[in-house]
Amino acid sequence: MAALRRKFGDDYQVVNTGTGATFKAPVKKKRQRFVEKNGRCNVQHGNLGGETSRYLSDLFTTLVDLKWRWNLLIFTLTYTIAWLVMASMWWLIAYVRGDLSHARNASYTPCVANVYNFPSAFLFFIETEATIGYGYRYITEKCPEGIILFLFQSLLGSIVDAFLIGCMFIKMSQPKKRAETLMFSQDAVISQRDGKLCLMFRVGNLRNSHMVSAQIRCKLIKSRQTPEGEFLPLDQCELDVGFGTGADQLFLVSPLTICHEINPKSPFFDLSQRSLRNEQFEIVVILEGIVETTGNSHHFFFISSAAQYQTPAVVSDPSPSIRPQP
């Protein structure tokens, strides 16, 4: 054991697989992530200029990205304000024409029959907009301005319905809850497989519905300095998880182990275990696939950072299962 420590350093621990006892190194304090476990990018934009106008120019996507409480508030306020405005226009027509003062006159032909005040005008608008058609209030043929307002109301109602209901439907079909049944391993490990040193983690689907055309990709995010002296704080590097062999195309029926071979082309090739613990980086795993039940293409994320990164232990048994250290 002393020879192993002299060769590999004090960070390597011995795992006795026969008794199940492990010796764990002290857990390091977690660093702030660049990408959270739920896939949210921990990035804040600033000093861009005209940021609000850019969001408003793509209002539909902005509404979809809002939290549910704001979506419901905007949904309620939009319909409430639109109903009040249109009801006020019907009341205004009746007021200008003098229909309110002749409301009880049976010989007088008003613009809208049986509209006496604002509540009755509001009820007429709701009956028309919701196509309820009680038959008690109706537009007469001697009111051209009422016919024009009715056409405008129908067009505006169709536009508002298509916009808000479409926004709510897309927001409800987002795959955030679907990610709860797509499980990644808690940590990634480095171990030998087929005589090669590999970075490995597992992914599994808990539902019976399959992920169609599932494909997995890995990104290494870390800072680096170019030979010209330029500092790149969030440089992205692709990790090969079988792109050349087709191993990145997954048939996700049972849990699968994803491997990245640490060869001379890997960014981990020149790192020792000691330097690996001191490095600051994140590995972002992106699983793309089509959900069978909805037919929508979705993206799921798994993030492992250097603060929680697992490295293999040196074992005394010549053929054990390697246990990672925390």
Side-chain angles (χ1 to χ4, degrees), residues 8 30 33 45 83 114 136 138 149 167 171 177 192 205 232 249 256 267 304:
F8 297 105
K30 292 184 179 181
R33 296 181 183 272
H45 302 285
W83 290 348
N114 301 311
Y136 184 67
Y138 55 90
L149 181 58
C167 174
K171 190 169 183 63
K177 296 302 180 182
Q192 284 193 347
N205 182 18
L232 304 177
Q249 304 290 334
L256 299 177
S304 178

Side-chain angles (χ1 to χ4, degrees), residues 94 176 244 250 252:
K176 293 183 179 180
L250 306 181
L252 201 57

Side-chain angles (χ1 to χ4, degrees), residues 105-273:
N105 190 353
S107 61
Y108 180 78
T109 303
C111 180
V112 180
N114 301 311
V115 171
Y116 312 118
N117 46 29
F118 181 79
S120 59
F122 183 80
L123 289 175
F124 167 74
F125 165 75
I126 295 297
E127 294 170 11
T128 306
E129 180 67 21
T131 63
I132 298 174
Y134 291 127
Y136 184 67
R137 298 179 180 88
Y138 55 90
I139 302 176
T140 61
E141 69 278 3
K142 295 184 178 181
C143 184
E145 58 269 29
I147 297 175
I148 295 175
L149 181 58
F150 172 75
L151 295 177
F152 175 75
Q153 170 188 323
S154 300
L155 292 175
L156 181 62
S158 300
I159 294 174
V160 172
D161 289 342
F163 188 84
L164 292 181
I165 295 176
C167 174
M168 299 295 286
F169 176 78
I170 292 178
K171 190 169 183 63
M172 286 187 293
S173 62
Q174 285 183 325
K176 293 183 179 180
K177 296 302 180 182
R178 179 63 176 87
E180 299 294 333
T181 55
L182 192 67
M183 303 296 294
F184 288 91
S185 53
Q186 183 65 28
D187 301 296
V189 299
I190 294 178
S191 181
Q192 284 193 347
R193 168 174 283 192
D194 297 329
K196 301 175 183 178
L197 200 61
C198 298
L199 167 71
M200 295 181 291
F201 58 91
R202 288 171 65 82
V203 59
N205 182 18
L206 298 182
R207 288 190 178 274
N208 294 327
S209 58
H210 301 304
M211 293 288 296
V212 183
S213 301
Q215 183 179 12
I216 198 162
R217 297 184 295 116
C218 294
K219 291 285 187 180
L220 175 67
I221 301 177
K222 63 176 297 186
S223 59
R224 73 177 183 92
Q225 190 169 6
T226 64
E228 295 80 12
E230 181 183 3
F231 179 73
L232 304 177
L234 296 173
D235 184 57
Q236 298 184 14
C237 176
E238 189 79 19
L239 296 181
D240 186 10
V241 289
F243 178 77
T245 61
D248 60 332
Q249 304 290 334
L250 306 181
F251 182 51
L252 201 57
V253 177
S254 61
L256 299 177
T257 300
I258 311 300
C259 294
H260 164 67
E261 181 183 344
I262 303 180
N263 52 29
K265 296 182 179 180
S266 173
F268 299 119
F269 186 74
D270 296 328
L271 297 178
S272 64
Q273 182 180 10

